[in-house]
Amino acid sequence: MKKLSLLLVLFSFLFVACADKKPKIETEELKTEMETEVDEMETTIVDSLSTTMEKAKEEIEDAEEEIDEMLEDL
């Protein structure tokens, strides 16, 4: 029974030691790719928000000018 246990332990160590390490590298590459995609998405969101804010600013300025003209008419 001891010999069988020792053989199982030995084979398990060999199996773990000889395991292919490449999938770990691929997961790291996937993480960096995902981080890059997230950064690009964040950049896109920030760009669209800044564009929306610029449009709103222009609309507010136009409204201010119209209000000033109306007040001058009064």
Side-chain angles (χ1 to χ4, degrees), residues 41-68:
M41 288 172 48
E42 288 176 350
T43 303
T44 304
I45 291 170
V46 169
D47 288 343
S48 65
L49 286 175
S50 65
T51 304
T52 304
M53 289 175 63
E54 282 293 322
K55 288 180 182 177
K57 180 182 173 186
E58 291 174 3
E59 289 176 1
I60 290 170
E61 289 173 354
D62 291 341
E64 286 177 352
E65 289 175 6
E66 289 179 17
I67 290 172
D68 288 340

Side-chain angles (χ1 to χ4, degrees), residues 12-39:
S12 64
F13 282 131
L14 289 174
F15 181 73
V16 171
C18 295
D20 189 17
K21 306 272 185 208
K22 198 170 187 175
K24 289 184 180 179
I25 294 171
E26 290 176 3
T27 56
E28 290 176 7
E29 290 175 359
L30 285 175
K31 285 181 184 178
T32 56
E33 289 176 11
M34 291 176 67
E35 289 172 353
T36 304
E37 290 178 9
V38 167
D39 290 341

